[in-house]
Structure formats: C-alpha cells, structure tokens
Amino acid sequence: MDLSRYQAEGPYPEMENRCPNPKALAMLYPLYAGAASELSAIHQYTYQRLLCCPDEVTETLGGIAAVEMHHLMMLGRLIRSFGGDPRFCQPSRRRWWDGGMVCYENRLCKLLLKDLNDEHNAVTAYLYTAQRIGHPCAAALLRRIAKDEEHHIILLTKLINQFCRKG
C-alpha cells in the first residue's frame, strides 16, 4: 500500500543512539501504548475497517492505520534508544495495554467524529511532549509525527463532510 496519501509531506528525522533516560521514557510510553496511543489507534482503525462502511472510508481508515503502525515502530525504536523496553504497557503505572482502550463505536458518523477528536488530541500530545522531552532529535520526530496526525484530521474532515453532513 502506498502510504503517501495518508502521510504529511517530508521525511522523518533520523534517530540517533541515545543513552538511558527515564524522564524521556515516562513521556513516550503513553504515546506508544497508553489509552490514547498509537497502539490504541491502530486497533481502533482496524476494527472500524471491518465494519460495513463505504469503500472510501474503509480505504482511508486502513491507510491511516498503516501510518499509525509506522509511528508505533518509530516510537518503539526511540524507547529502545532511551534504554526502555518497548512492551505494550506503561511501566510507571504498571498498566498493560488492553483491548478495552479501543472505542468500539459502530455508527459511521459517530466513529469518524471520535477519530477526528482523537487525532486533534494526538497533535496536542505530540507537540506538548516535543516541547518537554529535552532532546532535539526526539523532539523533531515527535513534531513530524504530529504533522501526520494533522494530515489525518484533513482526511477525516473530508469523510465527515462527504458522509455525515446533511445538505
């Protein structure tokens, strides 16, 4: 699948090897495998694709899910570079990721609106973390991921306007 339609333009920053950094890890784990995380987004979009939706919606949700999986992989590598274990949990809270963190809304317009809200929240979380993480390379990656999330907002807004607005 060509992901270029579902990503913002431009390359992702190269990651450098880092040394252990518990402070950075504490900020990254919620983005990686928390309730509002890349892992949750992947599962939510995958569930939504399995529902009876118009082909354009199914294709877009699948493309977004694939980009979110790319984000998950990059965050996992970043966690490793800071000395962490990329398990699907938040170690500080001793909470493992589970399927209950996914929204199982099955009405098309409501699920698209939920996705739109989640993407807005993701942009905010990535930009906030980028400001606080204290590592230029990691901050650059988080800002680049936020650009993808902003692009997802555009794609979801188009779907909402096409399928959910009564004229």
Side-chain angles (χ1 to χ4, degrees), residues 1-10 12 63-64 66-68 70-71 74 144 147-152 155:
M1 168 186 278
D2 176 20
L3 296 183
S4 62
R5 181 175 166 218
Y6 309 103
Q7 293 173 310
E9 291 185 19
Y12 294 93
I64 293 172
V67 172
E68 304 293 12
H70 184 59
H71 296 167
M74 290 184 292
R144 176 58 182 83
K147 285 184 181 185
D148 283 345
E149 308 298 6
E150 289 170 342
H151 187 66
H152 297 164
L155 296 172

Side-chain angles (χ1 to χ4, degrees), residues 69-100:
M69 185 169 286
H70 184 59
H71 296 167
L72 182 79
M73 295 301 293
M74 290 184 292
L75 289 173
R77 284 189 214 101
L78 188 58
I79 287 168
R80 288 283 298 151
S81 77
F82 283 129
D85 184 347
R87 294 180 184 192
F88 299 128
C89 70
Q90 293 184 62
S92 63
R93 293 183 173 179
R94 294 189 174 116
R95 176 154 189 213
W96 291 91
W97 185 89
D98 70 70

